[in-house]
Amino acid sequence: MIMDSNGNTMGITIEPSSDPVTITPTGVLTPKSTVDENSPPDFDHLRNLMLQLINQERKNIDIAPVEVDLIAKKAGQEHADEMAELGYLSHWDIDGFGPDYRYSRVGGTDYVQENIACYSFRYNSGAPAPINDWDGVVARIHANLMESEGHRSNILDGAHTHLGIGIAYNPLSGEVCVAQEFVNRYSHSSRLPFLVRSGERMTLRGIFSPRILRPIAILAYEPFPEPMTPDQLNKTKTYVSAAQKIEDLNMSISEGNFVIEVILDAGAMQGIYHVEVFANLPSYGQIQIVDQIFEVR
């Protein structure tokens, strides 16, 4: 989310990847070496390769590299696994949750933006085709993302500091899926409980990076989503958070240390709540740096 000139909360739009691309094996991929097509690829190597390609692009325009974030990697891997297994491409998952929720659910406390891509490696008959050049597959996915304005902007966003990458392969369908979770890390904070009761009072404590200026905190709300079928997910487009601002939150700051008080009404609606922090970053303007999510059921 971002704030407009009047201080109202607005949804930030994350461009999705294009529809899944079907690649036929003939004349497309040239194996670098003969490998056992039944052996699983080295996913750690492929994630590192994708990170190197991303950081080289950032170096080319003189912005800082992103560092590996293990929590974002877990969120990305879970989403890539599900997309490859169920055969869909979407920023939402089968339960209807988006990247902000999935990242927070596994322990994330920062703000995240997602790139996704899926490719199908099949013969004309529809049978899965073997993949012998996995480095070439990763390079091709990266090149395709860089050719898309929305994905390129995410990769080259200088406000991002960390990245988690998920890569999954379904040999039964020939589907390869990637989820890149870009993180803005400008604070370190305690983690709010994920399941909260109406009427509870919570305190979020942490420390801000000295780089950020004029931080503000809000509480936002969205109802629980409905589950979606793979067909419905494949029809989704850009991701916009459904969370809407409820109120400004009281935040005290002393020498970079901050305390945010969150007080829920006794009759608080069931649903998903976001504690969001926005701040100014020199050269980039206002960015979101915190999105902690909790549920009231």
Side-chain angles (χ1 to χ4, degrees), residues 9-290:
T9 305
M10 304 169 60
I12 197 163
T13 299
I14 305 173
E15 293 292 335
S17 80
S18 57
D19 293 336
V21 177
T22 300
I23 302 176
T24 56
T26 304
V28 174
L29 298 176
T30 302
K32 290 183 177 179
S33 61
T34 301
V35 298
D36 179 2
E37 64 189 50
N38 295 315
S39 63
D42 184 344
F43 287 113
D44 285 338
H45 164 73
L46 297 178
R47 281 187 286 264
N48 287 334
L49 174 59
M50 183 164 280
L51 177 67
Q52 292 171 19
L53 292 171
I54 287 170
N55 279 334
Q56 183 59 54
E57 301 284 1
R58 294 170 70 89
K59 182 178 180 180
N60 290 344
I61 61 170
D62 199 28
I63 59 175
V66 285
E67 301 177 16
V68 172
D69 180 84
L70 296 180
I71 294 176
K73 173 187 170 184
K74 178 176 175 59
Q77 190 60 51
E78 288 181 355
H79 194 50
D81 287 340
E82 185 177 281
M83 289 194 295
E85 178 184 357
L86 300 182
Y88 73 82
L89 174 62
S90 176
H91 290 294
W92 289 264
D93 66 15
I94 202 76
D95 294 318
F97 295 114
D100 45 4
Y101 179 94
R102 297 193 309 271
Y103 170 67
S104 192
R105 178 180 59 194
V106 296
T109 60
D110 306 296
Y111 176 65
V112 67
Q113 286 182 279
E114 178 178 82
N115 280 348
I116 54 173
C118 285
Y119 288 77
S120 299
F121 291 85
R122 301 189 182 107
Y123 293 108
N124 291 332
S125 65
I131 302 174
N132 292 335
D133 183 9
W134 276 98
D135 284 14
V137 170
V138 168
R140 185 167 188 152
I141 291 172
H142 172 75
N144 183 265
L145 290 172
M146 286 296 294
E147 290 171 0
S148 163
E149 182 178 354
H151 299 98
R152 178 185 176 90
S153 295
N154 213 6
I155 289 170
L156 300 181
D157 189 337
H160 296 328
T161 60
H162 291 73
L163 171 64
I165 299 173
I167 303 178
Y169 173 53
N170 185 344
L172 300 179
S173 64
E175 196 86 356
V176 179
C177 290
V178 171
Q180 301 172 341
E181 314 297 331
F182 289 90
V183 176
N184 292 351
R185 176 156 301 148
Y186 295 93
S187 68
H188 294 278
S189 65
S190 56
R191 183 70 178 87
L192 295 173
F194 199 73
L195 185 60
V196 176
R197 294 175 297 179
S198 296
E200 276 199 54
R201 178 170 184 156
M202 297 171 288
T203 302
L204 181 62
R205 302 176 186 275
I207 185 169
F208 286 130
S209 163
R211 295 179 61 191
I212 62 121
L213 304 170
R214 298 186 295 280
I216 58 173
I218 69 166
L219 182 66
Y221 166 82
E222 62 177 302
F224 288 119
E226 294 292 330
M228 303 174 75
T229 66
D231 285 344
Q232 289 173 323
L233 289 165
N234 279 326
K235 294 175 183 177
T236 59
K237 298 298 181 182
T238 56
Y239 179 76
V240 179
S241 173
Q244 298 295 316
K245 177 182 175 180
I246 298 176
E247 61 181 284
D248 295 315
L249 291 174
N250 180 41
M251 176 170 58
S252 59
I253 304 173
S254 176
E255 298 181 347
N257 294 285
F258 67 88
V259 178
I260 301 173
E261 298 291 344
V262 183
I263 304 173
L264 286 180
D265 294 336
M269 294 182 294
Q270 293 189 356
I272 300 168
Y273 290 79
H274 299 241
V275 175
E276 301 176 345
V277 176
F278 302 83
N280 280 16
L281 183 66
S283 301
Y284 295 101
Q286 189 183 63
I287 63 169
Q288 188 170 348
I289 61 174
V290 172

